[in-house]
């Protein structure tokens, strides 16, 4: 995989095409399972409680989040192909387990394995695109295209599975067999990913075959413990290099959390709010999702190209402020035509934020340990999705129904302030200890 490729050529590279297809297919499977299939299947078909369903979903996200940093570290050492194929086999096993297991424990373990199987997806995608974009990080176009794949798959999965369920008399066995076929297909696609990665010194190697780059010595005569000793030393070396090379402004860490915390605040209550407070019918709600999500998907690629040309600062400043104003208005307005307009503004603001934010974060990643640091950043960013729904539920139950939207608007406004500071001083004033 070559470095310093022009933005337009990144989209045509074999790595990017394979990664884009892998991301799209995995998000179809995840979206179908988590949005359309598992909640209804576990409740109506298996008769499991809402608490059990919640635990199973929490385990899925936990597996995804906890293994992002290790999978990013592994991708740099054993290659994208081996990392992704191994993980996607875990995803296939999880779908098979869901097909055959009926117990709460079995399905919870399947969801945990599903999360582990999808965990390398974004670290591999971000690491590969960042490495290809070269020292100037002209990757806004590629980031926008990746977000298109993710959002498109997440939307197509539930819509497609609901359509199939209606035409098969809610035959869930057929659904799971289709998803197993999709999992096998995505494994085949991942097999064309590069098996070698580009190291920080510019040569290509099959991962990191040993940890001797810092001069450490391993036992001269290998024994049964030698692989574990080498792994331990390699992990220690990686952690040391992350601490010494990651020289970013400390405000980056709360910003990463806040970026996904907003989504976590909105995701559990948006459907409830539109149904109970706005009295929007299911069909009209589908149109609302298409209006907001569709404009986001359509705008992502052109916005990504403009990010490459004009930089991230104007898009993030405008996007955060537009999202804050739109979310605050959404909590106060009940006129349905106006609500549609507000949702479209939210969609435009997110189309500005997503590729620009990922590109901005990419500029903070040092050349060494890209995979591990991307995994660490994505884990921290994903933690907001864990806390957000809990806070949202408390606000909904104990304060008011519009309060989660007001809170998300406040967080977005806070992000605009934090980004203004970060844009001026993205790095520490003194080297990291």
């Amino acid at each position: 995989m070559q470095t310093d490729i022009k933005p337009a050529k990144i989209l045509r590279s074999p790595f990017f095409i394979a990664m884009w297809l892998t991301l799209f297919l995995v998000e179809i499977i995840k979206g179908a399972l988590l949005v359309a299939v598992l909640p209804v299947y576990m409740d109506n078909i298996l008769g499991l409680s809402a608490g059990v369903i919640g635990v199973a979903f929490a385990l899925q996200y936990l597996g995804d989040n906890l293994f992002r940093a290790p999978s990013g570290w592994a991708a740099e050492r054993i290659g994208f192909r081996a990392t992704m194929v191994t993980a996607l086999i875990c995803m296939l096993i999880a779908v098979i387990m869901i097909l055959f297991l009926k117990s709460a424990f079995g399905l919870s373990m399947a969801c945990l394995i599903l999360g582990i199987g999808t965990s390398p997806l974004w670290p591999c995608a971000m690491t590969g695109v960042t490495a290809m974009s070269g020292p100037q990080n002209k990757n806004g176009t590629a980031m926008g295209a990746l977000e298109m794949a993710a959002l498109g798959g997440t939307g197509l999965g539930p819509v497609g599975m609901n359509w199939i369920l209606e035409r098969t008399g809610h035959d869930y066995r057929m659904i799971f067999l289709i998803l197993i076929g999709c999992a096998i297909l995505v494994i085949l696609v991942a097999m064309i990913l590069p098996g070698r990665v580009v190291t920080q010194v510019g040569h290509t190697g099959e991962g990191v075959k040993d940890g001797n780059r810092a001069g450490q010595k391993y036992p001269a005569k290998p024994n049964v413990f030698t692989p574990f000793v080498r792994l331990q030393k390699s992990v220690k070396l990686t952690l040391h290099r992350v601490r010494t090379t990651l020289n970013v402004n400390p405000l980056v860490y709360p910003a990463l959390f806040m970026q996904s915390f907003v989504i976590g605040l909105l995701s559990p209550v948006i459907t409830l709010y539109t149904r109970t407070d706005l009295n929007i019918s299911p069909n009209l709600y589908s149109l609302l999702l298409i209006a907001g999500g569709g404009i986001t998907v359509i705008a992502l690629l052109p916005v990504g190209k403009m990010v490459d040309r004009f930089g991230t600062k104007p898009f993030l400043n405008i996007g955060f402020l537009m999202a804050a104003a739109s979310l605050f208005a959404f909590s106060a307005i009940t006129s349905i035509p106006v609500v549609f307009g507000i949702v479209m503004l939210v969609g435009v603001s997110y189309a500005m934020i997503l590729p620009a934010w990922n590109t901005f974060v990419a500029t903070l990643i040092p050349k060494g340990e890209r995979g591990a640091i991307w995994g660490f950043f994505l884990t921290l960013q994903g933690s907001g999705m864990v806390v957000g729904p809990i806070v949202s539920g408390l606000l909904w139950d104990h304060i008011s129904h519009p309060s989660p939207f007001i809170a998300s608007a406040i967080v977005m406004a806070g992000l605009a302030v934090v980004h203004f500071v970060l844009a001026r001083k993205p790095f520490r004033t003194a080297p990291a200890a």
Side-chain angles (χ1 to χ4, degrees):
M1 189 171 59
Q2 301 295 322
T3 58
D4 209 11
I5 301 177
K6 293 182 179 179
K9 291 185 178 180
I10 293 177
L11 302 186
R12 297 193 295 269
S13 67
F15 166 80
F16 187 85
I17 293 171
M19 198 72 245
W20 193 95
L21 289 172
T22 301
L23 182 62
F24 179 68
L25 291 170
V26 169
E27 291 297 340
I28 285 179
I29 297 170
K30 278 183 61 180
L33 285 173
L34 299 180
V35 178
V37 178
L38 280 182
V40 180
Y41 175 72
M42 295 174 74
D43 182 15
N44 295 349
I45 305 301
L46 301 182
L48 299 176
S49 67
V52 170
I53 298 172
V55 169
F57 277 47
L59 286 173
Q60 187 277 329
Y61 189 80
L62 185 67
D64 190 344
N65 211 36
L66 287 180
F67 283 84
R68 285 184 177 183
S71 61
W73 176 85
E76 284 196 319
R77 280 152 179 77
I78 65 174
F80 295 103
R81 185 195 307 130
T83 301
M84 283 303 308
V85 169
T86 302
L88 292 174
I89 289 173
C90 291
M91 185 183 70
L92 173 62
I93 292 171
V95 180
I96 294 173
M97 290 173 65
I98 293 171
L99 172 61
F100 290 104
L101 300 180
K102 310 298 180 185
S103 67
F105 177 79
L107 288 172
S108 296
M109 289 300 99
C111 287
L112 176 63
I113 294 172
L114 177 67
I116 295 172
T118 59
S119 61
L121 195 62
W122 281 104
C124 284
M126 295 300 194
T127 302
V129 169
T130 304
M132 294 169 68
S133 61
Q136 296 184 3
N137 284 295
K138 295 288 186 178
N139 52 24
T141 304
M143 295 297 184
L146 289 175
E147 294 289 355
M148 285 181 65
L151 292 174
T154 302
L156 182 59
V159 172
M161 291 305 109
N162 281 330
W163 184 83
I164 295 172
L165 279 171
E166 289 181 2
R167 280 152 183 79
T168 58
H170 291 80
D171 184 353
Y172 283 92
R173 185 177 181 85
M174 175 65 70
I175 292 296
F176 292 132
L177 290 175
I178 292 173
L179 292 176
I180 288 172
C182 290
I184 294 172
L185 176 61
V186 75
I187 290 172
L188 295 176
V189 172
M191 285 182 177
I192 65 177
L193 287 168
R196 296 174 181 268
V197 297
V198 177
T199 68
Q200 69 278 7
V201 294
H203 67 275
T204 302
E206 187 64 37
V208 177
K209 294 183 179 180
D210 58 57
N212 285 330
R213 289 179 299 178
Q216 65 270 39
K217 297 180 180 179
Y218 295 120
K221 295 181 179 180
N223 55 54
V224 68
F225 297 107
T226 298
F228 300 100
V229 172
R230 290 185 176 181
L231 177 62
Q232 180 187 28
K233 289 181 179 290
S234 182
V235 169
K236 286 183 178 179
L237 176 62
T238 298
L239 292 176
H240 171 72
R241 294 183 62 200
V242 167
R243 286 195 300 268
T244 55
T245 60
L246 188 55
N247 189 35
V248 297
N249 188 319
L251 283 175
V252 168
Y253 306 122
L256 288 166
F257 175 85
M258 293 164 70
Q259 201 268 342
S260 62
F261 181 64
V262 172
I263 302 174
L265 283 171
L266 296 175
S267 58
V269 297
I270 183 69
T271 303
L272 292 174
Y273 186 75
T274 55
R275 297 282 182 87
T276 60
D277 291 67
L278 300 181
N279 297 314
I280 291 178
S281 67
N283 288 335
L284 193 59
Y285 180 60
S286 296
L287 290 177
L288 194 67
L289 291 178
I290 292 172
I295 197 169
T296 303
V297 172
I298 292 170
L300 277 171
L301 198 57
V303 169
K305 292 181 178 180
M306 287 189 288
V307 166
D308 285 334
R309 183 174 181 181
F310 301 109
T312 63
K313 187 175 179 179
F315 296 94
L316 288 176
N317 287 338
I318 296 172
F320 286 139
L321 291 175
M322 183 187 297
S326 302
L327 290 169
F328 184 80
F330 187 80
S331 68
I333 295 174
T334 57
S335 171
I336 302 303
V338 179
V339 166
F340 266 83
I342 293 172
V343 168
M344 293 179 72
L345 284 177
V346 173
V348 171
S349 66
Y350 262 87
M352 300 176 74
I353 292 170
L354 290 174
W357 177 254
N358 288 332
T359 301
F360 172 72
V361 173
T363 63
L364 307 177
I365 304 290
K367 291 182 180 180
E369 306 301 340
R370 280 195 180 103
I373 294 175
W374 260 122
F376 168 67
F377 276 5
L378 291 170
T379 298
L380 181 59
Q381 183 166 292
S383 63
M385 286 291 291
V386 177
V387 181
I390 299 172
V391 176
S392 180
L394 293 174
L395 292 173
W396 178 275
D397 290 335
H398 299 290
I399 298 182
S400 68
H401 289 184
S403 59
F405 302 95
I406 297 173
S408 63
I410 293 172
V411 174
M412 273 295 186
L415 261 173
V417 175
V418 171
H419 171 258
F420 179 79
V421 176
L422 286 176
R424 294 167 62 89
K425 294 182 179 180
F427 297 99
R428 295 177 186 265
T429 54

